[in-house]
Amino acid sequence: MNRVQRFVGFIYQEVQMHSRKDKPDCIEIRIRPHGGILGRCSQCQRPAPGYDRLPERLWLFVPLWGIPTYFRYAPRRVECVEHGVVVEHIPWSDGKRPVTYAMMGFLARWARRLSWRETAQVFQTSWEAVYRSVEWFVQWGLANRALQQVESMGVDEIHWGHGLRADNFLTVIYQIDAHCRRLLWVGKRRSETTLRRGLKALGPEVVKGLRFVCSDMWKPYLNVIAAEAGQALHVLDRFHITTHLNQAVDQVRRSECSRLRAAGKARAQRLKHLRWSLLRRGSRVRGRARQKLDALVASKMATARAWELKETFFHFWHYKSVLWAGAFLDYWCYRAMRSRLDPLKKVARMLRAHEELLLNWFRAKGEISAGTVEGLNNKIRVVTRRSYGFRTYEAMEIALYHTLGRLPEPESTHRFC
Ligand SMILES: [Zn+2]
């Protein structure tokens, strides 16, 4: 019994093990009120004289020795001066739920390591019980989290589920400070309204206190960030720009490949298995892939020229001065515009249009780490993929806060795992 919490005003009366066919079925811990201590009103938690008792009820507690365990107790009704006759305050549960706080915390903690379905299976409970437990845990954490000292914020869109409808995108807001990286908010869609809703939920103090905001070149985000957090330095995310460049190279490769194949040229074969080598950083391609890549570069094919432009752009991030970085950007865009490669021309036009925001990367002087948003995005994908079992968007949202929100945890639930 030393693993079971003590509650002031209540006494553990007896423990009973029920068996079926010689196998332990469940454990019941019978609780009675302490004779000398008054029950408390469930509304105001002040002591009040007893009125009568309700029938016994069961609350699911943390399994002991792997056996489902329940609290059995007949709640009193008390007569509060202010609230009249009400059910007493029950310290191990919020009254309505048939699961104790301890068990909800227990399930919620395990639901971070296992999928919700696995958690339900291992602890012989329902998926619904796990969901409700995590929900309670997250709501408590969101209500009690501290939002001071949020200096850097990352805003991003995440694709979710199947298809490209507006509802298949999520807007996520991260804190990306070196001392704390976490998910602050997530909402459906990627419109201006969504982001405004998110910033409003975080509150004006957080938004006004921002020093850096990091985002993609997605127009609705740019608009809202400029309007709401104008004081912060807005930096475009390096990882998104790399993604745009990679997509452009891949487009060139695919169209060149089908063009050559249509003309019956053997060279089409050469492009076929190069996709991953082309998308990696050139310096990281080794071995046979390297030989193939070198042969391609020597060939002067369109794909080779596109790849070379992409590789050249990496120099951009190594500048120290805004002035030199700006000069490099001009030079790169000039070359890309003359490359006769439409996908790269498109990237060049986009970079030119956002030149000031791009150069803010150098004005931030290394205070924003390049990989943070990417890293958090990858973690989100792990959850949304695991979310196969999540039946609703709401359940997935809760799972995201649960795993990435770094939320504080209710203390009343002592640790079992
Ligand atoms: Zn009261």
Side-chain angles (χ1 to χ4, degrees), residues 41 44 80 83:
C41 163
C44 62
C80 174
H83 300 102

Side-chain angles (χ1 to χ4, degrees), residues 166-406:
D167 274 352
N168 283 123
F169 290 91
L170 309 176
T171 295
V172 290
I173 302 179
Y174 304 117
Q175 178 178 5
I176 53 169
D177 286 308
H179 64 269
C180 182
R181 290 167 182 173
R182 58 177 169 170
L183 175 70
L184 290 176
W185 189 84
V186 52
K188 236 182 202 172
R189 302 192 170 194
R190 50 170 178 173
S191 62
E192 290 196 16
T193 324
T194 314
L195 185 54
R196 277 185 205 282
R197 201 153 52 84
L199 295 179
K200 202 174 157 205
L202 294 174
E205 277 114 80
V206 174
V207 178
K208 291 292 159 229
L210 290 171
R211 288 178 60 216
F212 302 102
V213 180
C214 196
S215 84
D216 185 10
M217 286 174 273
W218 180 243
K219 192 87 190 152
Y221 293 168
L222 299 183
N223 292 345
V224 175
I225 292 167
E228 303 274 331
Q231 86 288 357
L233 191 63
H234 187 175
V235 179
L236 291 184
D237 205 298
R238 173 173 163 177
F239 128 76
H240 282 115
I241 291 159
T242 309
T243 310
H244 285 298
L245 283 165
N246 275 336
Q247 278 167 355
V249 173
D250 203 44
Q251 273 175 27
V252 173
R253 181 192 67 89
R254 266 182 292 154
S255 62
E256 185 170 39
C257 195
S258 49
R259 203 166 59 235
L260 290 173
R261 206 178 298 138
K265 298 240 169 88
R267 280 195 297 171
Q269 209 52 33
R270 200 190 260 177
L271 290 174
K272 214 174 152 193
H273 301 293
L274 268 175
R275 176 151 190 253
W276 292 111
S277 311
L278 286 167
L279 300 188
R280 292 182 84 173
R281 277 296 307 276
S283 57
R284 297 202 188 131
V285 182
R286 307 252 157 82
R288 279 198 54 199
R290 178 85 242 174
Q291 289 170 6
K292 283 169 86 177
L293 191 58
D294 286 341
L296 176 77
V297 173
S299 73
K300 301 263 158 53
M301 287 160 81
T303 309
R305 288 187 292 116
W307 178 82
E308 200 261 320
L309 269 169
K310 177 202 83 159
E311 283 294 300
T312 315
F313 194 82
F314 279 103
H315 293 295
F316 177 70
W317 306 109
H318 297 295
Y319 283 96
K320 291 269 181 289
S321 104
V322 180
L323 208 66
W324 283 106
F328 176 86
L329 190 65
D330 283 343
Y331 158 77
W332 189 90
C333 289
Y334 171 77
R335 272 190 55 196
M337 292 310 287
R338 290 174 42 119
S339 68
R340 285 171 282 122
L341 304 166
D342 285 332
L344 280 129
K345 281 159 82 172
K346 206 175 129 205
V347 174
R349 274 194 293 271
M350 186 170 64
L351 295 180
R352 255 187 196 160
H354 300 99
E355 184 171 350
E356 275 312 301
L357 295 182
L358 264 175
L359 292 175
N360 278 347
W361 164 260
F362 303 95
R363 298 189 181 105
K365 295 203 193 302
E367 290 214 49
I368 290 184
S369 128
T372 312
V373 171
E374 187 181 12
L376 285 161
N377 278 355
N378 289 339
K379 284 184 187 157
I380 283 210
R381 288 212 181 84
V382 172
V383 178
T384 52
R385 239 173 260 149
R386 208 200 294 167
S387 81
Y388 231 59
F390 298 152
R391 289 152 214 193
T392 58
Y393 166 78
E394 285 72 24
M396 190 190 61
E397 190 177 297
I398 283 166
L400 288 175
Y401 283 122
H402 189 46
T403 43
L404 293 164
R406 285 168 159 250

